[in-house]
Amino acid sequence: MLVDSPPEQRAEHAPAPPKRQAIRALGLLLSVVILVLVAVASIAVGAKELSLEQVWHGLFEDSGSYGDVVVADRLSRTVLGLLVGAALGLAGAVLQALTRNPLADPGLLGINAGASAAVVTALTFFGVTSLFGYVWFAFCGAAAVGALVWFLGGSRGATPVRLALAGTAISAALYGYLQAIMILDDAALGKMRFWTVGSLSAGDNSTIMQVLPFLLAGSVLALALARPLNAMAMGDDTAKALGANLNRTRALSMLAATVLCGAATAACGPIIFVGLMVPHVVRSFTGPDLRWILPYAAILSPVLLLGADVIGRIVARPAELQVGIVTAIIGGPVFIFLVRRRRTAQL
């Protein structure tokens, strides 16, 4: 016998009328235009001032001049920002659906902390200094924490609350470990201080090519989970009645988030709030349908990340603020606003 879902949930997940679908599609197209404009700004604007002629010359007529080199560096940095931003947005949207918590982010399940702890261990104890070396540590750390959270959360009997509690506890322990290493080892502090705040400055073609396969695989998997996660949002009983495999969906969601966060953290360090803010804001105008939330998050998250990176390059000229610092400054007040709005709505 099929288990019926509450009327409000049926209304939320019912097929959208054609007019609303058209508005969503138009909004997605507008989001792409905004992303293109921000990407152009990321190439044209920075700590070092360049004329539009130099930017154009660097993009299409590379001759090895100073301006051309700067533009080439910014282009690689922009591409990395596009990839990492999309990865963080998708991971955040998947984890918010998995935990049924609209204020969840990749850090909630400890995945970022696991990747960070593994990379710091590689830098400090194994002398690994190249991305090719510690990208695998990042994946191993993210995967180990993901598996541990899955086990502590009850594995086949895992629930959103158990997963969130297990992830929070593990994150606290791992960040304590990170702080202990940085306090006890001055050399480690020197090596880690830029990486741990999150930065796109390491963006080059080598970095992009090493993380690209993982980011693409994780993105495809995340997008493929839209329908089963939609079913799970209506409750476990209803999802089972609709034919969704709950354990497989939860395991694949953890895998997608692990791959995306592991690759992003290895390339840029831990960047917070992007995976929290964008999916939450997107949900406010797309509704709960992940078939729209995921594409919007994949497009608008790079807008936030690249926009923060441009701001960081401008405000501290001729130096620059790392993008992780800027997203934290922006994200803190936004997070407080979202929490207060959510609390007000529940009263």
Side-chain angles (χ1 to χ4, degrees):
M1 186 172 107
L2 295 180
V3 180
D4 199 11
S5 56
E8 63 273 12
Q9 288 187 341
R10 292 200 306 269
E12 282 184 346
H13 293 272
K19 183 178 180 180
R20 187 173 183 184
Q21 294 277 35
I23 293 174
R24 287 172 173 172
L26 182 61
L28 199 62
L29 180 61
L30 179 61
S31 299
V32 172
V33 173
I34 295 172
L35 178 59
V36 171
L37 294 176
V38 173
V40 171
S42 178
I43 297 171
V45 180
K48 300 177 178 63
E49 295 189 28
L50 298 177
S51 66
L52 291 178
E53 182 181 357
Q54 286 177 303
V55 172
W56 180 268
H57 193 277
L59 286 174
F60 301 106
E61 303 175 18
D62 185 8
S63 62
S65 67
Y66 171 78
D68 295 348
V69 172
V70 171
V71 170
D73 289 342
R74 289 182 188 171
L75 180 60
S76 298
R77 184 169 179 164
T78 300
V79 172
L80 183 62
L82 291 170
L83 295 173
V84 169
L88 294 175
L90 287 172
V94 168
L95 291 177
Q96 287 175 13
L98 176 65
T99 61
R100 297 174 194 164
N101 180 355
L103 297 179
D105 75 333
L108 181 66
L109 298 187
I111 295 173
N112 277 353
S116 300
V119 171
V120 167
T121 299
L123 290 170
T124 305
F125 298 110
F126 297 100
V128 178
T129 58
S130 67
L131 174 68
F132 181 77
Y134 63 68
V135 66
W136 298 106
F137 280 85
F139 281 123
C140 289
V145 170
L148 184 59
V149 168
W150 180 252
F151 174 76
L152 294 177
S155 57
R156 289 186 176 275
T159 64
V161 174
R162 287 180 180 177
L163 291 173
L165 289 175
T168 301
I170 293 172
S171 293
L174 290 177
Y175 281 123
Y177 164 75
L178 292 176
Q179 293 300 319
I181 290 181
M182 288 190 285
I183 291 173
L184 297 174
D185 189 342
D186 290 339
L189 175 61
K191 289 185 288 186
M192 293 184 298
R193 62 194 181 100
F194 287 112
W195 183 85
T196 53
V197 298
S199 173
L200 295 176
S201 59
D204 56 31
N205 292 334
S206 175
T207 301
I208 293 169
M209 295 310 297
Q210 288 179 47
V211 299
L212 181 60
F214 303 101
L215 294 177
L216 289 178
S219 299
V220 171
L221 179 57
L223 292 169
L225 289 168
R227 286 183 179 275
L229 284 173
N230 272 345
M232 286 178 57
M234 293 186 284
D236 290 357
D237 292 338
T238 303
K240 289 178 182 177
L242 293 173
N245 187 320
L246 301 185
N247 291 324
R248 183 177 63 187
T249 301
R250 287 174 179 146
L252 290 177
S253 297
M254 289 289 293
L255 176 61
T258 296
V259 172
L260 290 169
C261 292
T265 303
C268 303
I271 297 176
I272 59 174
F273 285 121
V274 174
L276 182 153
M277 286 190 293
V278 176
H280 185 83
V281 172
V282 163
R283 190 179 293 104
S284 67
F285 58 84
T286 65
D289 191 345
L290 282 160
R291 292 173 298 177
W292 288 102
I293 292 174
L294 290 172
Y296 266 101
I299 294 171
L300 292 179
S301 293
V303 171
L304 173 60
L305 188 61
L306 290 176
D309 191 41
V310 172
I311 292 172
R313 289 185 242 166
I314 294 174
V315 297
R317 280 177 174 171
E320 64 179 66
L321 284 178
Q322 305 303 317
V323 67
I325 297 174
V326 180
T327 58
I329 293 173
I330 296 173
V334 172
F335 181 72
I336 293 172
F337 169 75
L338 294 176
V339 171
R340 287 184 60 84
R341 190 179 70 169
R342 179 172 170 80
R343 183 180 177 183
T344 302
Q346 291 175 339
L347 293 178

